[in-house]
């Protein structure tokens, strides 16, 4: 497990809210996915189109997505980079910018006044009464990857 406060804060606050990313064109998360933390501290997700997986963090702080096979690592500048080329950068305002490889597309995530996560592509993530994060839209929230 990671000792990165950002990751733990994010996954624990996903009892409050979640914030993250859109993946590449080849491996695109479906709209309408639910994310929940299991008893082992891993984040499990399930989407309406049947896609599912688990985000597991290893001792080095790398996060592996069992559903897509993507591994996420943090570079020396604190950016989170996926093995598919996707990069997540946090700006000085706390917004997370997601750059997808080969497309030039950038999605920006921010938290609104109600604690919901909103992406510039229209995705909205809310936490339900069970502490599960429900996202409606094509992107996955960045807090799941420790941003």
């Amino acid at each position: 497990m990671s000792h990165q406060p950002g990751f733990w804060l994010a996954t624990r606050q996903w009892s409050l809210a979640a914030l993250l990313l859109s993946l590449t064109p080849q491996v695109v998360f479906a709209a309408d996915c639910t994310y929940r933390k299991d008893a082992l501290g891993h984040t499990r997700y399930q989407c309406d189109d049947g896609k599912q997986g688990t985000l597991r963090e290893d001792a080095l702080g790398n996060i592996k997505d069992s559903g897509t096979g993507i591994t996420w690592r943090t570079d020396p500048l604190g950016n989170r980079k996926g093995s598919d080329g996707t990069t997540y950068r946090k700006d000085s305002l706390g917004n997370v910018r997601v750059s997808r490889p080969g497309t030039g597309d950038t999605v920006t995530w921010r938290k609104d006044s109600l604690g919901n996560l909103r992406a510039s592509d229209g995705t909205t993530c809310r936490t339900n009464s069970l502490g599960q994060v429900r996202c409606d839209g094509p992107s996955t929230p960045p807090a799941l990857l420790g941003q």
Side-chain angles (χ1 to χ4, degrees), residues 50-77:
K51 291 182 181 172
Q52 61 183 9
T54 302
L55 301 173
R56 290 184 176 89
E57 187 171 7
D58 65 19
L60 300 174
N62 299 324
I63 298 171
K64 174 82 174 190
D65 182 341
S66 67
T68 63
I70 297 171
T71 300
W72 299 92
R73 294 176 174 80
T74 303
D75 70 13
L77 297 174

Side-chain angles (χ1 to χ4, degrees), residues 74-97:
T74 303
D75 70 13
L77 297 174
N79 300 320
R80 188 61 81 161
K81 294 190 176 198
S83 56
D84 65 345
T86 303
T87 303
Y88 298 86
R89 292 179 180 86
K90 194 175 226 177
D91 66 18
S92 60
L93 299 174
N95 299 322
V96 176
R97 298 184 190 280

Side-chain angles (χ1 to χ4, degrees), residues 4-130:
Q4 295 177 355
F7 179 76
W8 287 111
L9 180 63
T11 55
R12 289 185 186 177
Q13 283 187 351
W14 286 73
S15 300
L16 302 172
L19 137 78
L20 196 80
L21 42 243
S22 179
L23 297 178
T24 67
Q26 313 103 316
V27 185
V28 176
F29 269 88
D32 304 330
C33 297
T34 301
Y35 304 85
R36 65 179 174 81
K37 193 172 172 184
D38 66 15
L40 298 174
H42 306 302
T43 301
R44 294 182 180 272
Y45 64 88
Q46 187 165 6
C47 303
D48 288 350
D49 72 349
K51 291 182 181 172
Q52 61 183 9
T54 302
L55 301 173
R56 290 184 176 89
E57 187 171 7
D58 65 19
L60 300 174
N62 299 324
I63 298 171
K64 174 82 174 190
D65 182 341
S66 67
T68 63
I70 297 171
T71 300
W72 299 92
R73 294 176 174 80
T74 303
D75 70 13
L77 297 174
N79 300 320
R80 188 61 81 161
K81 294 190 176 198
S83 56
D84 65 345
T86 303
T87 303
Y88 298 86
R89 292 179 180 86
K90 194 175 226 177
D91 66 18
S92 60
L93 299 174
N95 299 322
V96 176
R97 298 184 190 280
V98 181
S99 303
R100 291 180 233 155
T103 64
D105 292 343
T106 300
V107 175
T108 302
W109 283 88
R110 65 175 181 79
K111 195 181 245 187
D112 69 14
S113 60
L114 299 174
N116 299 319
L117 299 170
R118 297 192 179 271
S120 58
D121 67 357
T123 302
T124 301
C125 297
R126 296 172 183 85
T127 303
N128 68 17
S129 60
L130 300 174

